[in-house]
Amino acid sequence: IANFLENKSRKTEDLIMNQQQQIEKLKEYKQSLISDVVTKGLDPNVKFKDSGNDWIGKIPQNWDVIRIKDYSINTTSRNEDESLNYIALENIVSQSFQHIETENLYDPREGIFAPKHSVLFGKLRPYLAKSFYCKEDVSCSSEFAVFPFNNEVTSKYFLLFTQTFGFIETINMSTYGTKMPRANINFINNLSAPLPTFDEQLKIVNFLMDKISKIDDLVRIKEKKIEELNNYKKSLIYEYVTGKKEVS
């Protein structure tokens, strides 16, 4: 029984590892795609110019480069509306824009007010790349940097920018604290960011959101497969150890 289960478990673990590796490759591809399109645009034949920032690189000639605080003025206003939904760091999936429910409950009045069209970026352990677009007014943890915008297009373009390799790596190198590294909001506010025309922002947002949705669907399929393989392994061990099945 032990030899049989060890052999089966090893094969199952290999299948699980293969799925996990595919998930990591999909996530890397997604971030690489975002980084390329957000800083280079969708036209490969456009003329480029130096952005003046090594981590941004060359950008299309008709784009500008501005500081993040010129994009949006970070807000830290305390929320006073107890009817708003509260968003904690644990509610946002790493390297994704997805919101998940948890069992923990929070008082919305303890959070920061984030108006509709705001972009949230997790300052705590920024390498986790936790970003979120607010479809409505919300209350959120003070561990988020809150960047309000007056329209959906620019907000989502900026949301995508917060997932680029350069943005994440630059902020991660600036953190303070060893066990729980945090990003300094003043440092973030003074970082540079590319600014395409509004029409180009719209094209980039539509293109990337469609691609991201398809990639995330593939990731969820593979995560489901891993769950099924883990359940299979547990069931297999239980059935043979308890004698419900015998090794032939």
Side-chain angles (χ1 to χ4, degrees):
I1 291 173
N3 290 338
F4 172 80
L5 288 176
E6 183 179 2
N7 181 54
K8 285 288 187 180
S9 294
R10 185 169 58 252
K11 290 180 178 178
T12 306
E13 286 295 337
D14 287 343
L15 291 172
I16 291 173
M17 184 178 297
N18 180 263
Q19 293 296 315
Q20 289 173 332
Q21 289 172 345
Q22 290 183 43
I23 288 174
E24 289 307 310
K25 287 180 180 179
L26 283 168
K27 288 182 176 180
E28 288 175 8
Y29 168 68
K30 180 173 72 172
Q31 194 171 20
S32 177
L33 181 66
I34 291 172
S35 298
D36 187 53
V37 175
V38 165
T39 59
K40 302 293 183 287
L42 292 167
D43 184 0
N45 300 314
V46 72
K47 291 184 178 180
F48 290 90
K49 65 180 180 182
D50 188 0
S51 68
N53 290 269
D54 292 338
W55 62 278
I56 294 178
K58 292 185 179 297
I59 59 173
Q61 203 167 47
N62 64 330
W63 289 22
D64 291 322
V65 175
I66 63 174
R67 291 175 301 179
I68 287 177
K69 63 183 178 182
D70 296 323
Y71 246 119
S72 173
I73 299 176
N74 173 250
T75 180
T76 57
S77 301
R78 182 66 61 182
N79 174 59
E80 297 179 356
D81 188 347
E82 61 181 5
S83 68
L84 296 183
N85 290 324
Y86 183 90
I87 298 178
L89 276 175
E90 64 191 43
N91 295 127
I92 306 304
V93 180
S94 180
Q95 293 184 314
S96 175
F97 310 128
Q98 299 173 31
H99 177 278
I100 56 173
E101 297 294 337
T102 62
E103 295 180 355
N104 294 329
L105 298 176
Y106 300 91
D107 184 348
R109 292 169 297 183
E110 295 179 355
I112 296 174
F113 175 68
K116 181 180 179 181
H117 300 318
S118 291
V119 171
L120 309 182
F121 179 76
K123 296 180 292 182
L124 178 65
R125 294 185 291 179
Y127 57 83
L128 293 176
K130 293 195 172 189
S131 304
F132 186 69
Y133 167 72
C134 300
K135 296 180 181 178
E136 58 187 4
D137 294 351
V138 299
S139 172
C140 69
S141 166
S142 59
E143 296 293 359
F144 283 112
V146 180
F147 298 98
F149 290 86
N150 59 13
N151 69 81
E152 180 179 352
V153 173
T154 303
S155 178
K156 286 188 174 180
Y157 173 79
F158 183 78
L159 174 78
L160 292 163
F161 174 72
T162 64
Q163 290 291 304
T164 59
F165 285 124
F167 179 81
I168 298 297
E169 290 175 0
T170 302
I171 291 179
N172 198 44
M173 289 188 295
S174 74
T175 56
Y176 60 94
T178 305
K179 293 183 178 180
M180 301 289 278
R182 283 180 172 80
N184 183 287
I185 188 59
N186 290 325
F187 179 84
I188 296 175
N189 285 337
N190 284 292
L191 284 178
S192 295
L195 178 64
T197 64
F198 186 83
D199 286 344
E200 287 176 296
Q201 290 177 37
L202 179 59
K203 291 176 182 177
I204 288 170
V205 167
N206 288 338
F207 173 80
L208 284 177
M209 287 304 181
D210 178 64
K211 291 288 187 181
I212 289 170
S213 176
K214 292 175 180 177
I215 294 170
D216 288 344
D217 285 344
L218 288 174
V219 169
R220 280 190 286 270
I221 289 171
K222 295 184 181 301
E223 288 174 340
K224 180 66 176 177
K225 183 66 176 178
I226 290 175
E227 182 182 351
E228 290 172 352
L229 286 168
N230 278 318
N231 289 335
Y232 165 74
K233 187 174 71 171
K234 291 177 184 178
S235 174
L236 198 69
I237 293 172
Y238 172 77
E239 289 174 340
Y240 281 92
V241 167
T242 58
K244 289 180 171 56
K245 287 186 178 180
E246 294 184 357
V247 179
S248 60

